[in-house]
Amino acid sequence: MTRRAVYPGTFDPVTYGHIDLIKRARKIFDQVIVAVADNPGKGPLFTVAERVALLTQATRSIPGVTVDAFDSLVVDYVRRKGARVVLRGLRMLSDFEYEFQMALTNRKLSGDVETIFMMPSEAYAYLSARLIKEAALLGADLSAFVPPFVAQALRRRLCR
Ligand code: ADP
């Protein structure tokens, strides 16, 4: 049986923290589907197509990873993909409350889908896409946070 996990998120844009998590997940799951949420409510900087393209480039060298977009309930998407696991990352304690609520809500919606949490390398435990966007706006060197093509996309988008 193929062990398949869905890693949903906004990924606006992908960071080294997300990539670290995907690599760790691949040690446990045969297939990881990175699912970009089409969630205009969050006011993303990049379109879904742009976020998918950046993630595809970032995960090109990791076998067993596919990138997709979705605009439905996470649990419905997971079932449609023939998976039963939602993968989420936990960085700080501050992630916990929101993630806990979401995992239990998803369990209520679909009892056969489990959420699994993984922690990134401590080097990336403080990284957030939101802070990276703020730093990018102020012209920071982003090389420790995101791949070079993501830094370039951020500069192009923010430094007009
Ligand atoms: P969302 O809007 O769904 O929280 P994000 O793109 O911010 O979307 O995050 C997607 C998932 O990746 C979340 O589970 C988040 O906790 C996790 N994540 C984000 N940044 C990191 C990081 N630096 N290390 C580990 N996990 C992370």
Side-chain angles (χ1 to χ4, degrees):
M1 205 175 90
T2 308
R3 292 166 305 174
R4 189 176 292 152
V6 172
Y7 180 27
T10 310
F11 303 105
D12 185 43
V14 58
T15 71
Y16 281 140
H18 297 129
I19 298 169
D20 181 79
L21 217 75
I22 293 166
K23 286 183 179 158
R24 284 174 198 280
R26 270 291 287 119
K27 293 183 189 161
I28 302 171
F29 298 98
D30 305 310
Q31 280 179 9
V32 174
I33 302 169
V34 187
V36 179
D38 190 356
N39 186 355
K42 284 210 168 179
L45 183 63
F46 294 102
T47 65
V48 176
E50 288 167 334
R51 284 178 274 147
V52 165
L54 291 173
L55 262 165
T56 303
Q57 197 170 346
T59 57
R60 189 161 285 156
S61 63
I62 315 171
V65 177
T66 53
V67 182
D68 191 15
F70 75 106
D71 61 3
S72 60
L73 274 177
V74 167
V75 288
D76 289 344
Y77 177 79
V78 168
R79 275 193 300 232
R80 233 179 17 251
K81 288 288 162 183
R84 299 175 74 153
V85 171
V86 174
L87 178 72
R88 295 284 291 177
L90 276 183
R91 288 159 294 185
M92 308 289 176
L93 206 53
S94 51
D95 279 340
F96 181 79
E97 197 171 336
Y98 174 66
E99 294 292 341
F100 186 70
Q101 278 182 338
M102 201 159 55
L104 291 187
T105 304
N106 282 339
R107 181 180 285 167
K108 201 78 180 167
L109 292 171
S110 176
D112 56 358
V113 172
E114 281 297 331
T115 304
I116 290 188
F117 296 100
M118 297 187 78
M119 277 165 283
S121 155
E122 59 271 28
Y124 304 125
Y126 61 92
L127 268 191
S128 85
R130 186 180 58 80
L131 279 183
I132 289 166
K133 282 180 277 191
E134 284 176 21
L137 200 54
L138 300 171
D141 173 8
L142 302 176
S143 56
F145 311 139
V146 296
F149 54 89
V150 176
Q152 196 182 23
L154 277 165
R155 274 194 302 271
R156 258 198 232 123
R157 183 60 43 94
L158 292 169
C159 303
R160 277 194 201 138

Short mmCIF file of all heavy atoms in Angstrom, two decimals, residues 48-107:
data_model
loop_
_atom_site.label_atom_id
_atom_site.label_comp_id
_atom_site.label_asym_id
_atom_site.label_seq_id
_atom_site.Cartn_x
_atom_site.Cartn_y
_atom_site.Cartn_z
N VAL A 48 -2.36 31.58 -6.93
CA VAL A 48 -2.21 30.14 -6.73
C VAL A 48 -1.25 29.57 -7.77
O VAL A 48 -0.36 28.77 -7.43
CB VAL A 48 -3.58 29.43 -6.86
CG1 VAL A 48 -3.40 27.93 -6.75
CG2 VAL A 48 -4.53 29.90 -5.80
N ALA A 49 -1.41 29.99 -9.02
CA ALA A 49 -0.54 29.45 -10.09
C ALA A 49 0.91 29.79 -9.82
O ALA A 49 1.81 28.96 -10.02
CB ALA A 49 -0.99 30.02 -11.44
N GLU A 50 1.17 31.00 -9.32
CA GLU A 50 2.56 31.39 -9.01
C GLU A 50 3.10 30.58 -7.84
O GLU A 50 4.25 30.12 -7.86
CB GLU A 50 2.62 32.89 -8.67
CG GLU A 50 2.42 33.80 -9.87
CD GLU A 50 2.16 35.26 -9.48
OE1 GLU A 50 1.67 35.54 -8.36
OE2 GLU A 50 2.43 36.13 -10.32
N ARG A 51 2.26 30.37 -6.81
CA ARG A 51 2.71 29.60 -5.64
C ARG A 51 2.99 28.14 -6.03
O ARG A 51 3.96 27.54 -5.56
CB ARG A 51 1.66 29.69 -4.52
CG ARG A 51 1.71 31.05 -3.81
CD ARG A 51 0.65 31.17 -2.75
NE ARG A 51 -0.62 31.63 -3.28
CZ ARG A 51 -1.81 31.27 -2.82
NH1 ARG A 51 -1.92 30.43 -1.83
NH2 ARG A 51 -2.91 31.77 -3.36
N VAL A 52 2.13 27.60 -6.90
CA VAL A 52 2.34 26.23 -7.37
C VAL A 52 3.64 26.16 -8.17
O VAL A 52 4.45 25.24 -7.99
CB VAL A 52 1.14 25.74 -8.23
CG1 VAL A 52 1.49 24.49 -9.01
CG2 VAL A 52 -0.08 25.51 -7.35
N ALA A 53 3.88 27.15 -9.01
CA ALA A 53 5.10 27.14 -9.85
C ALA A 53 6.36 27.23 -8.99
O ALA A 53 7.33 26.50 -9.23
CB ALA A 53 5.04 28.30 -10.86
N LEU A 54 6.35 28.08 -7.97
CA LEU A 54 7.52 28.21 -7.10
C LEU A 54 7.76 26.92 -6.32
O LEU A 54 8.90 26.46 -6.18
CB LEU A 54 7.34 29.40 -6.13
CG LEU A 54 7.37 30.79 -6.77
CD1 LEU A 54 7.01 31.87 -5.74
CD2 LEU A 54 8.74 31.10 -7.40
N LEU A 55 6.66 26.31 -5.82
CA LEU A 55 6.81 25.05 -5.08
C LEU A 55 7.30 23.92 -5.99
O LEU A 55 8.10 23.09 -5.57
CB LEU A 55 5.46 24.64 -4.49
CG LEU A 55 5.21 25.01 -3.04
CD1 LEU A 55 3.74 24.89 -2.71
CD2 LEU A 55 6.02 24.13 -2.10
N THR A 56 6.81 23.91 -7.22
CA THR A 56 7.22 22.87 -8.16
C THR A 56 8.72 22.96 -8.40
O THR A 56 9.44 21.95 -8.37
CB THR A 56 6.44 23.01 -9.49
OG1 THR A 56 5.04 22.94 -9.19
CG2 THR A 56 6.80 21.91 -10.47
N GLN A 57 9.19 24.19 -8.60
CA GLN A 57 10.63 24.39 -8.81
C GLN A 57 11.42 24.00 -7.55
O GLN A 57 12.47 23.38 -7.63
CB GLN A 57 10.88 25.85 -9.17
CG GLN A 57 12.24 26.08 -9.80
CD GLN A 57 12.38 27.48 -10.38
OE1 GLN A 57 11.39 28.20 -10.55
NE2 GLN A 57 13.60 27.87 -10.67
N ALA A 58 10.87 24.34 -6.38
CA ALA A 58 11.58 24.08 -5.11
C ALA A 58 11.66 22.60 -4.77
O ALA A 58 12.54 22.19 -4.02
CB ALA A 58 10.88 24.84 -3.98
N THR A 59 10.73 21.80 -5.31
CA THR A 59 10.69 20.38 -4.93
C THR A 59 11.08 19.47 -6.10
O THR A 59 10.94 18.25 -5.99
CB THR A 59 9.27 19.99 -4.43
OG1 THR A 59 8.31 20.30 -5.45
CG2 THR A 59 8.91 20.72 -3.15
N ARG A 60 11.54 20.08 -7.19
CA ARG A 60 11.84 19.32 -8.40
C ARG A 60 12.80 18.16 -8.13
O ARG A 60 12.67 17.08 -8.71
CB ARG A 60 12.43 20.29 -9.44
CG ARG A 60 12.59 19.70 -10.81
CD ARG A 60 12.74 20.79 -11.84
NE ARG A 60 11.46 21.45 -12.12
CZ ARG A 60 11.34 22.68 -12.61
NH1 ARG A 60 12.41 23.38 -12.89
NH2 ARG A 60 10.15 23.19 -12.85
N SER A 61 13.77 18.37 -7.24
CA SER A 61 14.80 17.34 -7.03
C SER A 61 14.41 16.35 -5.93
O SER A 61 15.21 15.48 -5.58
CB SER A 61 16.12 18.02 -6.67
OG SER A 61 15.95 18.71 -5.45
N ILE A 62 13.21 16.47 -5.39
CA ILE A 62 12.79 15.54 -4.33
C ILE A 62 11.80 14.55 -4.94
O ILE A 62 10.68 14.92 -5.29
CB ILE A 62 12.10 16.27 -3.14
CG1 ILE A 62 12.89 17.53 -2.74
CG2 ILE A 62 11.95 15.33 -1.96
CD1 ILE A 62 12.16 18.41 -1.72
N PRO A 63 12.19 13.27 -5.09
CA PRO A 63 11.26 12.33 -5.70
C PRO A 63 10.05 12.08 -4.80
O PRO A 63 10.13 12.24 -3.58
CB PRO A 63 12.10 11.04 -5.87
CG PRO A 63 13.28 11.21 -5.00
CD PRO A 63 13.47 12.67 -4.71
N GLY A 64 8.93 11.69 -5.42
CA GLY A 64 7.74 11.34 -4.63
C GLY A 64 6.94 12.54 -4.16
O GLY A 64 6.06 12.40 -3.32
N VAL A 65 7.24 13.71 -4.71
CA VAL A 65 6.51 14.93 -4.30
C VAL A 65 5.75 15.48 -5.50
O VAL A 65 6.32 15.62 -6.58
CB VAL A 65 7.48 16.01 -3.76
CG1 VAL A 65 6.72 17.30 -3.42
CG2 VAL A 65 8.21 15.49 -2.53
N THR A 66 4.47 15.75 -5.31
CA THR A 66 3.71 16.43 -6.36
C THR A 66 3.10 17.70 -5.76
O THR A 66 2.87 17.78 -4.56
CB THR A 66 2.58 15.56 -6.94
OG1 THR A 66 1.78 15.09 -5.87
CG2 THR A 66 3.10 14.40 -7.73
N VAL A 67 2.89 18.68 -6.61
CA VAL A 67 2.32 19.96 -6.16
C VAL A 67 0.99 20.16 -6.87
O VAL A 67 0.88 19.91 -8.07
CB VAL A 67 3.29 21.12 -6.47
CG1 VAL A 67 2.72 22.43 -5.94
CG2 VAL A 67 4.68 20.86 -5.87
N ASP A 68 0.01 20.60 -6.12
CA ASP A 68 -1.33 20.73 -6.67
C ASP A 68 -2.00 21.94 -5.99
O ASP A 68 -1.46 22.49 -5.04
CB ASP A 68 -2.10 19.44 -6.35
CG ASP A 68 -3.43 19.32 -7.09
OD1 ASP A 68 -3.65 20.06 -8.06
OD2 ASP A 68 -4.26 18.49 -6.68
N ALA A 69 -3.16 22.34 -6.50
CA ALA A 69 -3.93 23.41 -5.86
C ALA A 69 -5.30 22.85 -5.51
O ALA A 69 -5.77 21.91 -6.15
CB ALA A 69 -4.07 24.60 -6.81
N PHE A 70 -5.92 23.42 -4.48
CA PHE A 70 -7.27 22.96 -4.13
C PHE A 70 -8.08 24.12 -3.56
O PHE A 70 -7.51 25.08 -3.04
CB PHE A 70 -7.22 21.79 -3.14
CG PHE A 70 -6.87 22.20 -1.72
CD1 PHE A 70 -7.84 22.23 -0.74
CD2 PHE A 70 -5.59 22.58 -1.39
CE1 PHE A 70 -7.54 22.61 0.56
CE2 PHE A 70 -5.27 22.97 -0.10
CZ PHE A 70 -6.24 22.99 0.88
N ASP A 71 -9.41 24.02 -3.71
CA ASP A 71 -10.25 25.10 -3.17
C ASP A 71 -11.44 24.54 -2.41
O ASP A 71 -12.46 25.21 -2.25
CB ASP A 71 -10.69 26.05 -4.28
CG ASP A 71 -11.52 25.37 -5.35
OD1 ASP A 71 -11.80 24.16 -5.19
OD2 ASP A 71 -11.89 26.03 -6.33
N SER A 72 -11.28 23.28 -1.94
CA SER A 72 -12.38 22.65 -1.21
C SER A 72 -11.98 22.47 0.25
O SER A 72 -10.93 22.94 0.67
CB SER A 72 -12.68 21.28 -1.83
OG SER A 72 -11.51 20.49 -1.74
N LEU A 73 -12.81 21.79 1.00
CA LEU A 73 -12.43 21.42 2.37
C LEU A 73 -11.19 20.52 2.29
O LEU A 73 -11.11 19.65 1.42
CB LEU A 73 -13.55 20.60 3.00
CG LEU A 73 -14.69 21.33 3.70
CD1 LEU A 73 -15.71 20.29 4.18
CD2 LEU A 73 -14.16 22.15 4.87
N VAL A 74 -10.27 20.70 3.22
CA VAL A 74 -9.05 19.89 3.20
C VAL A 74 -9.40 18.39 3.24
O VAL A 74 -8.87 17.60 2.46
CB VAL A 74 -8.13 20.26 4.39
CG1 VAL A 74 -7.03 19.22 4.56
CG2 VAL A 74 -7.49 21.62 4.17
N VAL A 75 -10.32 18.01 4.14
CA VAL A 75 -10.61 16.58 4.28
C VAL A 75 -11.22 15.99 3.01
O VAL A 75 -10.95 14.83 2.66
CB VAL A 75 -11.50 16.28 5.51
CG1 VAL A 75 -10.72 16.45 6.80
CG2 VAL A 75 -12.76 17.12 5.51
N ASP A 76 -12.02 16.79 2.30
CA ASP A 76 -12.59 16.30 1.03
C ASP A 76 -11.49 16.10 0.01
O ASP A 76 -11.46 15.12 -0.73
CB ASP A 76 -13.62 17.30 0.48
CG ASP A 76 -14.90 17.32 1.31
OD1 ASP A 76 -15.10 16.38 2.10
OD2 ASP A 76 -15.67 18.30 1.18
N TYR A 77 -10.56 17.07 -0.03
CA TYR A 77 -9.45 16.97 -0.97
C TYR A 77 -8.59 15.73 -0.66
O TYR A 77 -8.21 14.98 -1.56
CB TYR A 77 -8.61 18.25 -0.90
CG TYR A 77 -7.39 18.20 -1.79
CD1 TYR A 77 -7.50 18.42 -3.16
CD2 TYR A 77 -6.14 17.87 -1.27
CE1 TYR A 77 -6.40 18.33 -3.98
CE2 TYR A 77 -5.03 17.79 -2.08
CZ TYR A 77 -5.17 18.02 -3.43
OH TYR A 77 -4.06 17.91 -4.25
N VAL A 78 -8.32 15.53 0.62
CA VAL A 78 -7.48 14.40 1.05
C VAL A 78 -8.12 13.08 0.61
O VAL A 78 -7.45 12.20 0.05
CB VAL A 78 -7.28 14.44 2.60
CG1 VAL A 78 -6.67 13.15 3.11
CG2 VAL A 78 -6.41 15.63 2.97
N ARG A 79 -9.41 12.95 0.82
CA ARG A 79 -10.10 11.71 0.43
C ARG A 79 -10.09 11.53 -1.08
O ARG A 79 -9.89 10.43 -1.59
CB ARG A 79 -11.52 11.71 0.96
CG ARG A 79 -11.59 11.18 2.39
CD ARG A 79 -13.00 10.88 2.77
NE ARG A 79 -13.79 12.11 2.67
CZ ARG A 79 -14.56 12.58 3.63
NH1 ARG A 79 -14.66 11.92 4.76
NH2 ARG A 79 -15.25 13.69 3.48
N ARG A 80 -10.29 12.65 -1.80
CA ARG A 80 -10.28 12.59 -3.26
C ARG A 80 -8.95 12.08 -3.78
O ARG A 80 -8.86 11.42 -4.81
CB ARG A 80 -10.57 13.98 -3.82
CG ARG A 80 -11.69 13.99 -4.79
CD ARG A 80 -12.11 15.29 -5.42
NE ARG A 80 -11.26 16.43 -5.41
CZ ARG A 80 -11.49 17.53 -4.68
NH1 ARG A 80 -12.52 17.58 -3.87
NH2 ARG A 80 -10.67 18.55 -4.74
N LYS A 81 -7.88 12.40 -3.05
CA LYS A 81 -6.54 12.00 -3.47
C LYS A 81 -6.19 10.59 -2.99
O LYS A 81 -5.06 10.13 -3.16
CB LYS A 81 -5.51 13.01 -2.93
CG LYS A 81 -5.55 14.34 -3.65
CD LYS A 81 -4.99 14.18 -5.04
CE LYS A 81 -5.37 15.30 -5.96
NZ LYS A 81 -4.87 15.11 -7.32
N GLY A 82 -7.12 9.94 -2.31
CA GLY A 82 -6.86 8.58 -1.82
C GLY A 82 -5.88 8.56 -0.67
O GLY A 82 -5.16 7.59 -0.46
N ALA A 83 -5.82 9.65 0.09
CA ALA A 83 -4.92 9.72 1.25
C ALA A 83 -5.76 9.77 2.52
O ALA A 83 -6.98 9.95 2.48
CB ALA A 83 -4.04 10.96 1.15
N ARG A 84 -5.08 9.57 3.66
CA ARG A 84 -5.79 9.66 4.94
C ARG A 84 -5.03 10.50 5.94
O ARG A 84 -5.40 10.58 7.10
CB ARG A 84 -5.99 8.26 5.52
CG ARG A 84 -6.81 7.38 4.60
CD ARG A 84 -6.88 6.00 5.10
NE ARG A 84 -7.77 5.93 6.24
CZ ARG A 84 -8.44 4.85 6.58
NH1 ARG A 84 -8.31 3.75 5.88
NH2 ARG A 84 -9.22 4.85 7.63
N VAL A 85 -3.95 11.10 5.47
CA VAL A 85 -3.10 11.87 6.38
C VAL A 85 -2.95 13.31 5.90
O VAL A 85 -2.64 13.56 4.74
CB VAL A 85 -1.70 11.22 6.50
CG1 VAL A 85 -0.75 12.12 7.27
CG2 VAL A 85 -1.80 9.86 7.16
N VAL A 86 -3.20 14.24 6.85
CA VAL A 86 -2.90 15.65 6.62
C VAL A 86 -1.61 15.94 7.37
O VAL A 86 -1.49 15.62 8.56
CB VAL A 86 -4.02 16.56 7.18
CG1 VAL A 86 -3.63 18.03 7.07
CG2 VAL A 86 -5.32 16.32 6.45
N LEU A 87 -0.67 16.52 6.69
CA LEU A 87 0.60 16.85 7.32
C LEU A 87 0.65 18.34 7.59
O LEU A 87 0.31 19.16 6.72
CB LEU A 87 1.72 16.47 6.34
CG LEU A 87 3.14 16.77 6.78
CD1 LEU A 87 3.56 15.82 7.88
CD2 LEU A 87 4.07 16.66 5.59
N ARG A 88 1.04 18.71 8.81
CA ARG A 88 1.19 20.13 9.13
C ARG A 88 2.49 20.31 9.91
O ARG A 88 2.99 19.38 10.53
CB ARG A 88 0.01 20.63 9.98
CG ARG A 88 -1.32 20.60 9.25
CD ARG A 88 -1.50 21.71 8.25
NE ARG A 88 -1.62 23.01 8.89
CZ ARG A 88 -1.73 24.16 8.23
NH1 ARG A 88 -1.70 24.18 6.91
NH2 ARG A 88 -1.84 25.29 8.88
N GLY A 89 3.01 21.52 9.86
CA GLY A 89 4.26 21.81 10.56
C GLY A 89 3.98 22.55 11.87
O GLY A 89 3.04 23.34 11.95
N LEU A 90 4.78 22.25 12.88
CA LEU A 90 4.69 22.98 14.14
C LEU A 90 6.03 23.65 14.38
O LEU A 90 7.05 22.98 14.46
CB LEU A 90 4.39 22.04 15.30
CG LEU A 90 2.95 21.65 15.59
CD1 LEU A 90 2.92 20.77 16.82
CD2 LEU A 90 2.04 22.85 15.75
N ARG A 91 5.99 24.96 14.50
CA ARG A 91 7.24 25.67 14.76
C ARG A 91 7.32 26.00 16.24
O ARG A 91 8.01 25.38 17.01
CB ARG A 91 7.31 26.95 13.92
CG ARG A 91 7.54 26.69 12.46
CD ARG A 91 7.11 27.86 11.62
NE ARG A 91 5.67 28.07 11.68
CZ ARG A 91 5.02 28.95 10.98
NH1 ARG A 91 5.69 29.77 10.19
NH2 ARG A 91 3.72 29.05 11.04
N MET A 92 6.56 26.98 16.63
CA MET A 92 6.59 27.48 18.01
C MET A 92 5.31 27.07 18.71
O MET A 92 4.35 26.65 18.08
CB MET A 92 6.66 29.02 18.00
CG MET A 92 7.76 29.57 17.14
SD MET A 92 9.33 29.23 17.91
CE MET A 92 10.44 29.87 16.68
N LEU A 93 5.29 27.31 19.98
CA LEU A 93 4.08 27.06 20.76
C LEU A 93 2.91 27.84 20.18
O LEU A 93 1.77 27.40 20.20
CB LEU A 93 4.34 27.50 22.21
CG LEU A 93 3.51 26.81 23.27
CD1 LEU A 93 3.61 25.30 23.17
CD2 LEU A 93 3.93 27.30 24.65
N SER A 94 3.21 29.00 19.60
CA SER A 94 2.15 29.86 19.07
C SER A 94 1.39 29.20 17.92
O SER A 94 0.25 29.56 17.66
CB SER A 94 2.74 31.19 18.61
OG SER A 94 3.82 30.96 17.75
N ASP A 95 2.00 28.24 17.23
CA ASP A 95 1.28 27.52 16.17
C ASP A 95 0.24 26.58 16.76
O ASP A 95 -0.71 26.20 16.11
CB ASP A 95 2.24 26.63 15.35
CG ASP A 95 3.01 27.41 14.31
OD1 ASP A 95 2.57 28.50 13.95
OD2 ASP A 95 4.06 26.90 13.86
N PHE A 96 0.48 26.17 18.02
CA PHE A 96 -0.23 25.02 18.56
C PHE A 96 -1.75 25.20 18.61
O PHE A 96 -2.50 24.33 18.15
CB PHE A 96 0.30 24.66 19.95
CG PHE A 96 -0.39 23.46 20.53
CD1 PHE A 96 -0.06 22.17 20.13
CD2 PHE A 96 -1.42 23.62 21.44
CE1 PHE A 96 -0.71 21.08 20.63
CE2 PHE A 96 -2.10 22.52 21.95
CZ PHE A 96 -1.74 21.25 21.55
N GLU A 97 -2.19 26.34 19.13
CA GLU A 97 -3.62 26.50 19.36
C GLU A 97 -4.42 26.42 18.06
O GLU A 97 -5.41 25.69 17.97
CB GLU A 97 -3.88 27.83 20.07
CG GLU A 97 -5.25 27.86 20.70
CD GLU A 97 -5.45 29.07 21.60
OE1 GLU A 97 -4.45 29.62 22.09
OE2 GLU A 97 -6.61 29.45 21.78
N TYR A 98 -3.96 27.14 17.06
CA TYR A 98 -4.64 27.15 15.76
C TYR A 98 -4.62 25.75 15.14
O TYR A 98 -5.63 25.25 14.64
CB TYR A 98 -3.95 28.17 14.86
CG TYR A 98 -4.42 28.20 13.44
CD1 TYR A 98 -5.71 28.59 13.12
CD2 TYR A 98 -3.56 27.84 12.40
CE1 TYR A 98 -6.14 28.62 11.81
CE2 TYR A 98 -3.97 27.88 11.08
CZ TYR A 98 -5.26 28.26 10.79
OH TYR A 98 -5.68 28.29 9.49
N GLU A 99 -3.44 25.12 15.19
CA GLU A 99 -3.31 23.79 14.57
C GLU A 99 -4.18 22.76 15.30
O GLU A 99 -4.76 21.88 14.67
CB GLU A 99 -1.83 23.35 14.58
CG GLU A 99 -0.93 24.20 13.70
CD GLU A 99 -1.21 24.04 12.20
OE1 GLU A 99 -1.84 23.05 11.79
OE2 GLU A 99 -0.81 24.95 11.45
N PHE A 100 -4.25 22.87 16.62
CA PHE A 100 -5.03 21.95 17.44
C PHE A 100 -6.51 22.07 17.07
O PHE A 100 -7.19 21.07 16.82
CB PHE A 100 -4.80 22.32 18.91
CG PHE A 100 -5.42 21.40 19.90
CD1 PHE A 100 -4.93 20.11 20.10
CD2 PHE A 100 -6.49 21.83 20.69
CE1 PHE A 100 -5.50 19.27 21.04
CE2 PHE A 100 -7.06 21.00 21.63
CZ PHE A 100 -6.57 19.72 21.81
N GLN A 101 -6.98 23.33 16.96
CA GLN A 101 -8.38 23.57 16.58
C GLN A 101 -8.67 22.99 15.20
O GLN A 101 -9.69 22.34 14.99
CB GLN A 101 -8.64 25.08 16.49
CG GLN A 101 -8.91 25.74 17.80
CD GLN A 101 -9.20 27.22 17.61
OE1 GLN A 101 -8.83 27.82 16.61
NE2 GLN A 101 -9.87 27.81 18.57
N MET A 102 -7.77 23.24 14.28
CA MET A 102 -8.01 22.81 12.91
C MET A 102 -8.00 21.27 12.82
O MET A 102 -8.84 20.68 12.15
CB MET A 102 -6.94 23.41 12.00
CG MET A 102 -7.38 23.44 10.57
SD MET A 102 -6.44 24.64 9.65
CE MET A 102 -4.80 24.11 9.97
N ALA A 103 -7.05 20.65 13.51
CA ALA A 103 -6.95 19.18 13.46
C ALA A 103 -8.21 18.55 14.03
O ALA A 103 -8.76 17.59 13.47
CB ALA A 103 -5.71 18.71 14.23
N LEU A 104 -8.71 19.10 15.14
CA LEU A 104 -9.90 18.50 15.76
C LEU A 104 -11.15 18.79 14.93
O LEU A 104 -12.05 17.95 14.85
CB LEU A 104 -10.06 18.99 17.20
CG LEU A 104 -8.99 18.47 18.16
CD1 LEU A 104 -9.32 18.87 19.59
CD2 LEU A 104 -8.83 16.96 18.08
N THR A 105 -11.19 19.96 14.29
CA THR A 105 -12.32 20.26 13.40
C THR A 105 -12.32 19.29 12.22
O THR A 105 -13.35 18.71 11.86
CB THR A 105 -12.25 21.71 12.89
OG1 THR A 105 -12.19 22.58 14.02
CG2 THR A 105 -13.45 22.07 12.05
N ASN A 106 -11.15 19.10 11.65
CA ASN A 106 -11.05 18.17 10.51
C ASN A 106 -11.43 16.75 10.93
O ASN A 106 -12.05 16.00 10.17
CB ASN A 106 -9.65 18.20 9.90
CG ASN A 106 -9.46 19.43 9.03
OD1 ASN A 106 -10.44 20.03 8.56
ND2 ASN A 106 -8.22 19.83 8.82
N ARG A 107 -11.06 16.38 12.14
CA ARG A 107 -11.41 15.03 12.62
C ARG A 107 -12.92 14.89 12.78
O ARG A 107 -13.49 13.84 12.49
CB ARG A 107 -10.71 14.77 13.95
CG ARG A 107 -11.01 13.38 14.49
CD ARG A 107 -10.31 13.13 15.78
NE ARG A 107 -8.89 12.90 15.60
CZ ARG A 107 -8.02 12.91 16.62
NH1 ARG A 107 -8.43 13.17 17.84
NH2 ARG A 107 -6.76 12.67 16.40
#
